Amino acid sequence: MQTILVLGAGRSSSALIDYLLDKAVSHGWKIIVGDMNLGQARQRIGGREKGEAISFTIEDEANSAEVIRQSDMVISLLPAHLHVRVAKHCLAHKKHLITASYVSPEMKALHQQAYDSGLLFLNECGLDPGIDHMSAMEIIHRIQSEGGTVTSFESFTGGLIAPDTDPGNPWRYKFTWNPRNVVMAGQGTARYLEDGQIRFIPYTQLFKRVTPVQVPNYGDFEGYANRDSLQYRELYGLSEVKTLLRGTLRNHGFCAAWHILAQLGVCDDSYSLNCEGLTHTGFTELYLPSGPLPAEERLAKFFGLSLQSPEMHRLRWSGFFSHEPIGLKQGTPAQITEHILNKKWALNPDDKDMIVMWHRFRYDKNGKPGEIQSSLAVTGTDATHTAMAKTVGLPMGMAARLLLEGRITTRGVAIPVFTELYKPILQELKTYGIVFTELTRD
Amino acid sequence: MQTILVLGAGRSSSALIDYLLDKAVSHGWKIIVGDMNLGQARQRIGGREKGEAISFTIEDEANSAEVIRQSDMVISLLPAHLHVRVAKHCLAHKKHLITASYVSPEMKALHQQAYDSGLLFLNECGLDPGIDHMSAMEIIHRIQSEGGTVTSFESFTGGLIAPDTDPGNPWRYKFTWNPRNVVMAGQGTARYLEDGQIRFIPYTQLFKRVTPVQVPNYGDFEGYANRDSLQYRELYGLSEVKTLLRGTLRNHGFCAAWHILAQLGVCDDSYSLNCEGLTHTGFTELYLPSGPLPAEERLAKFFGLSLQSPEMHRLRWSGFFSHEPIGLKQGTPAQITEHILNKKWALNPDDKDMIVMWHRFRYDKNGKPGEIQSSLAVTGTDATHTAMAKTVGLPMGMAARLLLEGRITTRGVAIPVFTELYKPILQELKTYGIVFTELTRD
């Protein structure tokens, strides 16, 4: 019997654990789910056959080593910075590892050791990164196999809410993923390739330099650039590409309003302030010049906005000018902003999230330009069975299955850009309703 | 014979060393000037009596200990982060220390030890911080001694250029101080007090949230906030103050143009890029969306500026759209921007710099409000004998004299907010033409 160890039973684990338990009987697997919170791990297993919940923390080195030693493969859903500690145990005990996180420099440094040990440390195998890589590579390989050259690749993914969820929410957004990462998104400088030239976008301009995206049947979106698109030129094998941009998708109008929050300075996590007794509008005040007008009017004036502008409407709806107490004693601006936003952006039990992914490929074939747009929309069932958990978890579960079945030859630290991975996974994802729609222009 | 050890013979040292050598004969002092560059130290001494140049680097611990042991007092002009290493030698060998730099947390931590050893570690004793503290305290103490309460204190200082220097330079600015600090000025978040309320200004808004300043006979200036004004509420003894803002002064229009550079992202020092063969305009391009128009027009459009705006005029004058090669192989955006700016902003030998300082005090006295504005302008002689070197160096020389004469009782880590320091120093500064002008409104 083969044992799969899943580390972490948090928000994104439900679909993965369900998938593994579903396959466990026919495949003769045992699924061990480890979490700091044993009750949470037990709940994910729900008493099903072949499942076992254990208490787990990577801080307990001896126990971590032992449970990893006893498994055949590890899937880590721990916070990204902990994956390398898991990977070191995997190296010591010769176990494969799967994660949905970006390859960190520390993880990358383990490539040769993993390769020499005949192990696969598969990362970026969730939604974004994950399904985006796989669906992009399928089309890139198809264009290339038909003699075409990809000249431009743009790709945006967003975790949004379904059209019928919270219809009065002008942002068309709620927290379906780590709220802290949402508030601090984009800090630093993004780099991408456009018309053959490297371009940089500092945080100050990130939410102003957006790409408009129309997804047939799903409406108008916009994308802002992710940290570093350039590395995918090599990883995707796009040596001739002139434009290469990966980013985050939001509903139209989100970015212009978020730009105001970024400019205001309320997403800063570098210092802490006392906010006992402070109201929402009192917090906003801290970032405005003083004056006789109310905070709302001063903010609008300072940024040259009308009070009726969509940006002001979104800030008002989120409560940034309300006299409600914040309800925190102390926090960084980012923590306070997250706390305020969470009052409106926390998912209600019946809320449905929605994943939207969009790729645009431009290519030259036989001297003629062509374009393919490929898009995906997946809607969640409720606040537990989210589209996010499904699209992040299923690719990892499917990769685990393929690997245990001996159908994957890739070794070392890798991401799912190889045919042997993306082809069967994309095929199986279709049976779960995860299907891309293509629009081709010649 | 008493020995004063001056560490560092750079840009800011000329006036200090001249002052000390002038006083050395009558006071029976020996002045030792230590620098990594022995020739530079010798040049500052210029063969004068009582002076001795030595080769010095704080990295040579044994030699540093020995030369500090043999002196009676140390004046450190080394880069600010090195002062604490000097201070530790001073503690070991029981020597006083004077610097013109802000008190760092590490320096502050030495307070009790210095105090218990009967030593004065006097910091912030240059121009800004330095003369600003002294001149402000003189007026604050005067208002308080007359029964008044200071309700507002704003103070701005700038190292600018004289009106007849480089008349075509629209920024009215050149590098008269560490250029790197100028390019990276304001990164982080400034905090100050306004109308009884703490306020934060993130870097993104710093050059937009300016205070207009008129200095009689000197024209229109504007000030942007320094990092942390709040701490001076306690240091200045301003328990009742409602507005407290310290900042940097620039000529009118400087900040609006610099705001564009800050927004563009070219003052970032966090990553390096290859700029071999890159032109000025090519560098600017990296931060702009692509398009058919020239970089200049795209930048203007992106920021909503007309091509004839004062901001665009300044950027154009500085060469940000020129096809001249940068002339660096590699650099951070901040280093490249400094390099481009330096082509126009380096001081010519005959250029005259100008220091402008401006304070505004508002107070209540006998139930009635009053206001005092106090300003200072000092013009340099040439690119060596700058107003900057004079106003930074003389206060340290004078503090050293007073201390060696046994006229200072303050001990521990301190700044010159005490009467025994500021009164004689401000008096003596007048004999060097450093005289404040007051404008009082009752």
Side-chain angles (χ1 to χ4, degrees):
Chain A
M1 188 172 64
Q2 290 177 304
T3 300
I4 303 176
L5 174 64
V6 178
L7 298 179
R11 238 189 264 241
S12 64
S13 67
S14 61
L16 167 66
I17 293 170
D18 288 348
Y19 176 88
L20 294 175
L21 287 170
D22 283 351
K23 304 284 173 194
V25 179
S26 59
H27 285 70
W29 296 339
K30 182 175 171 189
I31 312 301
I32 300 179
V33 177
D35 197 281
M36 283 203 296
N37 180 339
L38 181 59
Q40 173 92 341
R42 282 203 180 115
Q43 198 183 338
R44 290 291 183 221
I45 297 213
R48 278 173 288 182
E49 206 183 341
K50 303 287 186 185
E52 181 188 339
I54 61 168
S55 175
F56 179 89
T57 161
I58 192 74
E59 300 306 329
D60 183 341
E61 288 280 335
N63 182 61
S64 299
E66 185 52 24
V67 298
I68 289 172
R69 194 186 62 76
Q70 289 180 12
S71 70
D72 291 279
M73 165 180 305
V74 182
I75 301 177
S76 175
L77 306 177
L78 299 179
H81 69 281
L82 298 176
H83 292 327
V84 166
R85 292 172 68 179
V86 176
K88 287 184 176 167
H89 288 296
C90 289
L91 268 181
H93 301 291
K94 304 230 182 296
K95 311 296 174 186
H96 298 300
L97 171 65
I98 300 177
T99 85
S101 302
Y102 280 104
V103 174
S104 64
E106 298 74 30
M107 181 65 81
K108 202 170 178 178
L110 301 179
H111 172 70
Q112 198 59 47
Q113 278 178 274
Y115 187 86
D116 292 345
S117 302
L119 298 174
L120 172 61
F121 286 2
L122 181 66
N123 297 275
E124 307 192 17
C125 192
L127 167 66
D128 165 20
I131 293 177
D132 61 338
H133 292 333
M134 297 190 252
S135 52
M137 288 314 300
E138 183 179 55
I139 293 176
I140 289 168
H141 283 163
R142 192 201 315 158
I143 293 170
Q144 291 173 339
S145 73
E146 291 169 358
T149 302
V150 176
T151 55
S152 168
F153 173 60
E154 299 151 281
S155 174
F156 294 95
T157 305
L160 313 168
I161 52 174
D164 58 349
T165 289
D166 201 11
N169 176 341
W171 299 86
R172 307 305 310 132
Y173 190 81
K174 283 190 159 194
F175 287 134
T176 60
W177 197 235
N178 187 340
R180 180 172 166 79
N181 290 355
V182 173
V183 172
M184 291 171 58
Q187 295 187 13
T189 296
R191 62 186 77 195
Y192 69 105
L193 194 67
E194 189 177 24
D195 299 339
Q197 163 105 61
I198 293 181
R199 294 189 189 270
F200 298 93
I201 313 182
Y203 182 61
T204 54
Q205 300 310 323
L206 187 63
F207 299 100
K208 205 174 150 187
R209 298 258 304 257
V210 296
T211 303
V213 172
Q214 279 88 40
V215 181
N217 306 321
Y218 287 92
D220 284 353
F221 302 93
E222 56 195 21
Y224 64 85
N226 286 351
R227 184 66 74 96
D228 185 7
S229 294
L230 290 178
Q231 56 178 315
Y232 293 93
R233 179 161 49 175
E234 197 186 329
L235 287 166
Y236 285 2
L238 296 174
S239 54
E240 308 284 323
V241 83
K242 298 281 179 284
T243 292
L244 180 53
L245 174 59
R246 296 177 73 252
T248 298
L249 200 75
R250 293 288 178 253
N251 277 83
H252 179 70
F254 179 102
C255 291
W258 193 268
H259 180 67
I260 301 301
L261 295 178
Q263 291 282 321
L264 204 55
V266 297
C267 302
D268 192 332
D269 199 50
S270 69
Y271 60 94
S272 190
L273 55 104
N274 181 340
C275 47
E276 199 155 5
L278 199 65
T279 62
H280 292 196
T281 194
F283 172 61
T284 307
E285 278 274 356
L286 301 180
Y287 296 88
L288 292 173
S290 74
L293 296 173
E296 185 172 347
E297 290 179 48
R298 269 180 290 142
L299 187 144
K301 199 175 156 201
F302 187 72
F303 289 106
L305 297 168
S306 102
L307 285 172
Q308 284 69 45
S309 64
E311 292 87 349
M312 291 302 294
H313 175 52
R314 284 174 174 79
L315 298 188
R316 208 180 291 123
W317 181 88
S318 289
F320 282 100
F321 309 111
S322 101
H323 291 273
E324 178 182 339
I326 294 169
L328 283 178
K329 288 188 172 176
Q330 183 85 20
T332 66
Q335 287 166 341
I336 297 168
T337 297
E338 175 187 331
H339 190 84
I340 291 173
L341 289 171
N342 199 50
K343 295 178 184 182
K344 293 294 202 80
W345 277 3
L347 282 183
N348 291 324
D350 292 340
D351 281 345
K352 292 180 180 64
D353 72 328
M354 184 172 76
I355 295 297
V356 179
M357 184 179 287
W358 176 85
H359 304 306
R360 179 166 56 196
F361 308 81
R362 288 181 170 136
Y363 57 91
D364 286 327
K365 197 164 72 181
N366 305 325
K368 280 165 61 184
E371 181 183 304
I372 297 174
Q373 290 186 31
S374 171
S375 59
L376 169 72
V378 182
T379 304
T381 307
D382 56 38
T384 305
H385 302 90
T386 59
M388 184 66 87
K390 188 171 164 180
T391 52
V392 171
L394 289 178
M396 286 191 281
M398 293 168 186
R401 179 180 62 74
L402 292 165
L403 193 50
L404 285 183
E405 289 171 3
R407 292 164 60 186
I408 304 298
T409 60
T410 304
R411 292 296 179 268
V413 173
I415 66 171
V417 291
F418 304 103
T419 315
E420 62 173 11
L421 276 160
Y422 73 67
K423 203 171 166 189
I425 292 176
L426 289 174
Q427 193 60 38
E428 189 176 357
L429 284 172
K430 285 183 192 167
T431 67
Y432 287 82
I434 299 173
V435 186
F436 280 81
T437 304
E438 276 187 32
L439 188 70
T440 302
R441 285 187 200 142
D442 284 316
Chain B
M1 190 172 67
Q2 290 178 303
T3 300
I4 303 176
L5 174 64
V6 177
L7 298 179
R11 238 189 264 239
S12 65
S13 68
S14 62
L16 168 66
I17 293 170
D18 288 349
Y19 176 89
L20 294 175
L21 288 170
D22 283 350
K23 304 284 174 193
V25 178
S26 59
H27 284 70
W29 294 340
K30 182 176 172 187
I31 312 300
I32 299 179
V33 176
D35 196 282
M36 282 202 297
N37 180 341
L38 181 59
Q40 173 92 338
R42 283 204 179 112
Q43 197 183 338
R44 290 293 182 215
I45 295 206
R48 280 173 286 181
E49 206 183 338
K50 303 287 187 183
E52 182 188 338
I54 62 168
S55 174
F56 179 89
T57 161
I58 192 72
E59 300 305 330
D60 183 342
E61 288 281 336
N63 182 61
S64 299
E66 185 54 24
V67 298
I68 289 172
R69 195 186 61 75
Q70 289 178 14
S71 71
D72 290 281
M73 166 181 303
V74 181
I75 301 177
S76 174
L77 306 177
L78 299 178
H81 69 280
L82 299 177
H83 293 327
V84 166
R85 293 173 68 178
V86 176
K88 288 185 176 166
H89 288 297
C90 288
L91 269 181
H93 301 291
K94 304 228 182 296
K95 310 299 175 185
H96 298 300
L97 171 66
I98 300 177
T99 85
S101 301
Y102 281 103
V103 174
S104 64
E106 298 75 29
M107 180 66 81
K108 202 169 179 181
L110 302 179
H111 172 70
Q112 197 59 47
Q113 278 179 276
Y115 186 86
D116 291 345
S117 303
L119 298 174
L120 173 60
F121 286 1
L122 182 65
N123 298 275
E124 308 191 17
C125 192
L127 167 65
D128 166 21
I131 293 177
D132 60 339
H133 292 332
M134 298 190 252
S135 53
M137 288 314 300
E138 184 179 54
I139 293 176
I140 289 168
H141 283 163
R142 191 200 314 155
I143 293 169
Q144 291 174 339
S145 72
E146 292 169 356
T149 301
V150 177
T151 55
S152 168
F153 172 59
E154 299 152 281
S155 173
F156 294 95
T157 304
L160 312 168
I161 52 174
D164 58 348
T165 289
D166 201 10
N169 176 341
W171 299 85
R172 307 304 311 133
Y173 190 82
K174 283 190 158 193
F175 287 134
T176 61
W177 197 238
N178 186 340
R180 180 173 166 81
N181 290 354
V182 173
V183 172
M184 290 172 59
Q187 296 187 11
T189 297
R191 62 186 79 197
Y192 70 105
L193 194 67
E194 189 177 23
D195 298 341
Q197 163 105 60
I198 294 180
R199 293 188 191 272
F200 299 93
I201 314 181
Y203 182 61
T204 52
Q205 300 310 323
L206 188 63
F207 300 100
K208 203 174 153 190
R209 297 258 304 256
V210 297
T211 303
V213 172
Q214 279 87 41
V215 181
N217 305 321
Y218 287 92
D220 286 352
F221 301 93
E222 58 194 20
Y224 64 84
N226 286 352
R227 184 65 75 97
D228 185 7
S229 294
L230 290 178
Q231 56 178 315
Y232 293 94
R233 179 159 51 174
E234 195 186 332
L235 288 166
Y236 285 3
L238 295 174
S239 54
E240 309 282 325
V241 84
K242 297 282 180 282
T243 293
L244 182 51
L245 174 59
R246 295 177 74 254
T248 298
L249 201 74
R250 293 288 178 254
N251 277 83
H252 179 70
F254 179 102
C255 291
W258 193 269
H259 180 67
I260 303 299
L261 295 178
Q263 291 282 320
L264 205 56
V266 297
C267 301
D268 192 333
D269 200 49
S270 69
Y271 61 94
S272 190
L273 55 106
N274 180 341
C275 47
E276 201 157 6
L278 199 66
T279 63
H280 292 196
T281 194
F283 173 61
T284 306
E285 280 273 356
L286 301 181
Y287 295 89
L288 292 173
S290 74
L293 296 172
E296 185 172 347
E297 290 178 50
R298 267 181 290 144
L299 187 145
K301 199 177 155 200
F302 187 71
F303 288 105
L305 297 168
S306 102
L307 285 172
Q308 284 70 44
S309 64
E311 293 87 350
M312 290 304 293
H313 175 52
R314 283 174 174 80
L315 298 188
R316 206 180 291 122
W317 181 88
S318 289
F320 282 101
F321 309 111
S322 100
H323 292 272
E324 179 182 339
I326 295 169
L328 282 178
K329 287 189 173 176
Q330 182 85 20
T332 66
Q335 286 166 341
I336 296 168
T337 297
E338 176 188 331
H339 190 83
I340 291 173
L341 289 170
N342 200 49
K343 296 178 184 182
K344 293 296 201 79
W345 276 4
L347 282 182
N348 292 325
D350 293 339
D351 281 344
K352 292 181 180 62
D353 71 329
M354 184 172 76
I355 294 298
V356 179
M357 185 178 287
W358 176 86
H359 304 306
R360 178 165 57 195
F361 309 81
R362 287 179 171 140
Y363 57 91
D364 286 327
K365 197 164 71 180
N366 305 326
K368 279 165 60 183
E371 181 182 303
I372 297 173
Q373 289 186 32
S374 173
S375 59
L376 169 72
V378 182
T379 304
T381 307
D382 56 36
T384 306
H385 302 90
T386 60
M388 183 65 87
K390 189 171 165 180
T391 52
V392 171
L394 288 178
M396 286 190 280
M398 292 168 186
R401 179 179 62 74
L402 292 165
L403 193 51
L404 284 182
E405 288 172 3
R407 293 164 61 188
I408 304 297
T409 60
T410 304
R411 291 297 179 267
V413 174
I415 67 171
V417 290
F418 303 103
T419 315
E420 64 172 11
L421 276 160
Y422 73 68
K423 203 172 166 188
I425 292 177
L426 289 174
Q427 194 60 38
E428 190 175 358
L429 284 172
K430 285 183 190 169
T431 67
Y432 288 83
I434 300 173
V435 185
F436 279 81
T437 304
E438 275 186 32
L439 189 71
T440 302
R441 286 187 199 142
D442 284 317

